[in-house]
């Protein structure tokens, strides 16, 4: 048998024609003079804003990396010998922020221990300012001036009493407060220890009395004698003034008065 010949299939490849998209070129419009001036002004504003931001960042960096000792040397502290009624830390800060905004630091008010009136809650206070010059200016200008406010408010007629503390820093105040706390703590410990000693002595005497009563009952039950403890207290002798002596004193005083006023 003759071999079977396979027919080769001829596949014709169709050449795909590339699709060419026509891109319309947009006509370039030339900017006007007004637009150019606006762009220049915008660029200048952007440059100024960037310069200010850089300066602010530099200031923040210098403040952040500033030596705390040097920063503390620049500060000043003023002292309030009297705190107006109904005034607290927030109200004092708001009052002084009006005259020197951004310069008020820490404020501490001492509680008034001599009264329970909530309006007179504080007796004295201290306020820290970031610069000595501002602290001196506030102490000089606001001292002995009326607090002000509404006429109906009784505080409006009161006067400020402020003093600038030369050479005094906030650290000194904290040290003083810490020292006072330690002294108060030690005093309380001494008082508590003394109260405990008194209570222990009282309890010991009670136990001793119970023991003596039991011993007394035991001795009496066995038919013995029990001598009760009696304290030997010497009583002072009473002084009786006789009527005759009192009459003599009255006559002598009357004679003396007659001699004077004759």
């Amino acid at each position: 048998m003759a071999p079977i010949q396979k027919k080769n299939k001829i596949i014709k490849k169709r050449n795909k024609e590339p699709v060419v998209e026509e891109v319309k070129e947009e006509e370039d419009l030339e900017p006007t003079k007004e637009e150019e001036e606006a762009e220049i002004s915008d660029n200048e504003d952007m440059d100024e804003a960037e310069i200010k931001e850089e300066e602010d960042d530099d200031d923040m960096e210098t403040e952040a990396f500033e030596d705390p000792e040097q920063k503390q040397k620049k500060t000043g502290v003023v002292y309030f010998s009297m705190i107006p009624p109904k005034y607290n830390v927030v109200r004092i800060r708001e009052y002084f922020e009006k005259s020197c905004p951004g310069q008020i630091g820490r404020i501490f008010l001492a509680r008034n221990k001599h009264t329970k009136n909530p309006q007179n809650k504080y007796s004295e206070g201290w306020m820290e300012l970031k610069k000595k010059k501002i602290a001196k200016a506030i102490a000089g200008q606001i001292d002995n001036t009326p607090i002000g406010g509404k006429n109906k408010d009784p505080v409006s007629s009161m006067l400020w009493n402020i003093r600038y503390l030369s050479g005094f820093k906030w650290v000194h105040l904290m040290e003083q407060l810490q020292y006072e706390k330690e002294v108060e703590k030690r005093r309380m410990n001494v008082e508590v220890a003394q109260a405990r000693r008194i209570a222990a002595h009282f309890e010991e005497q009670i136990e001793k009395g119970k023991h003596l009563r039991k011993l007394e009952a035991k001795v009496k039950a066995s038919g013995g004698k029990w001598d009760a403890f009696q304290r030997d207290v010497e009583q002072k002798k009473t002084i009786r003034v006789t009527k005759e002596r009192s009459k003599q004193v009255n006559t002598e005083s009357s004679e003396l008065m007659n001699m004077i006023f004759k």
Side-chain angles (χ1 to χ4, degrees), residues 43-241:
N43 293 329
E44 289 178 354
D45 294 337
M46 290 292 290
D47 294 337
E48 290 178 358
E50 288 177 357
I51 291 167
K52 287 181 180 179
E53 288 179 358
E54 289 177 357
E55 290 178 354
D56 294 337
D57 293 337
D58 294 337
D59 294 337
M60 292 291 289
E61 288 178 358
T62 52
E63 288 180 359
F65 293 104
E66 190 176 1
D67 189 6
E69 292 183 359
Q70 295 294 331
K71 191 175 181 180
Q72 186 180 355
K73 288 180 181 179
K74 296 178 183 179
T75 60
V77 179
V78 294
Y79 170 70
F80 300 93
S81 62
M82 181 273 302
I83 303 298
K86 299 181 181 180
Y87 266 67
N88 53 13
V89 175
V90 177
R91 197 168 177 184
I92 288 175
R93 187 181 294 278
E94 290 177 354
Y95 184 91
F96 287 97
E97 279 285 349
K98 296 176 183 177
S99 57
C100 49
Q103 297 296 325
I104 306 299
R106 292 166 286 189
I107 299 173
F108 176 78
L109 302 180
R111 291 185 177 274
N112 191 357
K113 298 179 181 179
H114 302 289
T115 181
K116 294 182 180 179
N117 189 0
Q119 294 184 358
N120 298 326
K121 191 175 181 180
Y122 304 104
S123 59
E124 57 183 357
W126 293 263
M127 183 173 68
E128 183 188 32
L129 291 103
K130 295 181 180 180
K131 293 182 180 179
K132 294 179 183 178
K133 293 181 180 179
I134 297 172
K136 291 178 182 178
I138 285 176
Q141 294 175 4
I142 301 179
D143 183 34
N144 204 21
T145 58
I147 295 171
K150 296 181 180 179
N151 294 327
K152 295 181 180 179
D153 193 357
V155 182
S156 61
S157 60
M158 298 178 70
L159 301 178
W160 285 109
N161 193 354
I162 306 174
R163 292 288 182 274
Y164 171 72
L165 303 177
S166 179
F168 188 83
K169 301 298 178 184
W170 197 259
V171 179
H172 302 151
L173 176 62
M174 294 295 104
E175 289 177 355
Q176 180 65 23
L177 294 174
Q178 188 66 26
Y179 173 74
E180 290 178 359
K181 283 182 181 179
E182 290 294 331
V183 171
E184 185 69 17
K185 188 177 179 180
R186 290 181 182 179
R187 187 182 66 80
M188 288 295 294
N189 291 336
V190 170
E191 290 182 358
V192 169
Q194 186 177 1
R196 285 177 179 173
R197 285 196 298 270
I198 292 169
H201 178 71
F202 183 72
E203 187 177 357
E204 183 182 354
Q205 294 299 320
I206 290 172
E207 294 294 331
K208 189 176 180 180
K210 289 180 180 179
H211 178 69
L212 290 173
R213 282 195 293 273
K214 288 180 181 179
L215 188 61
E216 182 181 0
K218 188 176 181 180
V219 170
K220 288 182 178 179
S222 61
K225 291 183 179 180
W226 181 265
D227 294 332
F229 176 74
Q230 293 181 357
R231 292 182 179 179
D232 297 332
V233 180
E234 293 182 1
Q235 188 176 2
K236 292 182 179 180
K237 294 180 181 180
T238 57
I239 300 171
R240 295 181 181 179
V241 180

Side-chain angles (χ1 to χ4, degrees), residues 238-250:
T238 57
I239 300 171
R240 295 181 181 179
V241 180
T242 58
K243 293 182 179 180
E244 294 179 356
R245 189 176 177 183
S246 62
K247 287 180 180 179
Q248 289 178 0
V249 173
N250 291 329

